[in-house]
Amino acid sequence: MEFKELKNKSLSELEKLVTEYKAELFSLRFKNATSRLDKTHQIKEIRKNIARVLTAIKQQENATKGGK
């Protein structure tokens, strides 16, 4: 998911996305540990998506607090 798509979402939607991505990351890590994950690059992609969503959340929080 691209960052410009995330900027249009509400705070509750972003928090829900973080929860979903973290659950998916847990599942991928478990599959990787049991040697059932073929596409190991997915772990890296999910970690980047989580970081993007957390950045969008932080920006929205700062905007509502009157920050930069």
Side-chain angles (χ1 to χ4, degrees):
M1 179 169 285
E2 291 189 19
F3 188 74
K4 53 186 161 181
E5 296 172 17
L6 296 173
K7 290 185 349 182
N8 298 329
K9 294 189 181 277
S10 70
L11 195 58
S12 61
E13 289 175 325
L14 291 173
E15 290 171 350
K16 184 179 177 184
L17 267 176
V18 169
T19 306
E20 291 173 4
Y21 280 140
K22 285 186 177 184
E24 188 175 349
L25 180 61
F26 177 79
S27 174
L28 290 174
R29 284 182 174 163
F30 187 76
K31 286 179 183 178
N32 192 34
T34 58
S35 301
R36 295 186 315 156
L37 183 63
D38 294 331
K39 300 176 184 175
T40 56
H41 68 280
Q42 290 177 331
I43 293 173
K44 187 176 180 180
E45 289 176 4
I46 295 297
R47 288 178 64 221
K48 286 184 177 184
N49 286 339
I50 291 171
R52 283 185 190 105
V53 174
L54 290 175
T55 300
I57 289 173
K58 193 66 169 176
Q59 283 185 350
Q60 283 190 6
E61 287 175 352
N62 286 342
T64 59
K65 290 181 183 177
K68 294 181 181 179

